[in-house]
Amino acid sequence: MALSDVYSARGTITLAATTSIAVASLYGTAAKRVWLVGVRVKVLQTGAVAGNDVTFTLARPSATNTGTGLASGVANDFSAPASIGQFATTWSTPPIVGTILAEWALPQTTGSMWEEFPPGGDEWGVPAVANANAGVHLFAQATVATSTPVSYDLIWSE
C-alpha cells in the first residue's frame, strides 16, 4: 500500500499512579481511511528505581468514548492538505482498553524508549468517530506510583 500524506502528533503526560490511563487517541472520519503507521514512546526524567516498568498499550476501545478538543496532526510535508485524522488528549467519556493491538513494557528508568513502525500493509486501521468503537488509543500504566513523565508520538497516513 502506498502511503500518501503523513501526519504526527506528540505530547507528554506524567504518570503518578499504578492504574492504566488513556494518554492519547486518534480518530478517523467517514470521509477517508486513516492508518496509524508508527508509535514512539519514551520515559523521561523519573526517580523510579530499577526493576519497575511502564506498560504502553495500543488498543481499540471496549465502549463508546468521546474525545474533546480534537485537533488535526502536523503534516510532515508542508504542501499536504489539512489532516482529516483527529487527535485528542482529553475526553468527556475516556476510552477503556478493549482489543489490544500492541503492547510495550519499558523499564521505568530515565531514557527508556521504544518505537514501532509496522511493515507496509500491516498498519493499524483507525475507525471513524461515528463508530461505537471509535479510534485507536494509547494507554500507559506504571508499576510503581512515582512521578514519571512520558512522551509519545503517533504517526498516521491518509
Side-chain angles (χ1 to χ4, degrees):
M1 160 197 264
L3 297 179
S4 52
D5 295 312
V6 177
Y7 303 85
S8 60
R10 69 176 42 170
T12 60
I13 188 170
T14 299
L15 307 176
T18 58
T19 55
S20 180
I21 63 165
V23 173
S25 296
L26 177 62
Y27 299 100
T29 67
K32 189 176 180 184
R33 296 293 301 263
V34 174
W35 299 93
L36 185 60
V37 298
V39 177
R40 289 186 186 109
V41 292
K42 182 176 182 178
V43 176
L44 302 175
Q45 186 69 36
T46 182
V49 297
N52 294 297
D53 294 320
V54 176
T55 300
F56 292 93
T57 303
L58 187 67
R60 298 201 190 288
S62 64
T64 301
N65 65 92
T66 306
T68 58
L70 297 174
S72 293
V74 176
N76 290 6
D77 177 354
F78 71 92
S79 63
S83 171
I84 60 169
Q86 299 174 319
F87 181 76
T89 57
T90 58
W91 304 266
S92 58
T93 305
I96 299 169
V97 174
T99 303
I100 295 174
L101 303 173
E103 201 163 51
W104 308 280
L106 300 181
Q108 193 173 349
T109 54
T110 301
S112 298
M113 69 169 295
W114 184 261
E115 57 184 25
E116 184 85 19
F117 292 90
D122 288 337
E123 300 91 351
W124 298 290
V126 180
V129 171
N131 295 336
N133 63 342
V136 171
H137 311 276
L138 182 64
F139 299 86
Q141 181 174 6
T143 57
V144 65
T146 299
S147 180
T148 303
V150 297
S151 68
Y152 56 88
D153 196 5
L154 299 179
I155 301 104
W156 67 92
S157 72
E158 301 174 358

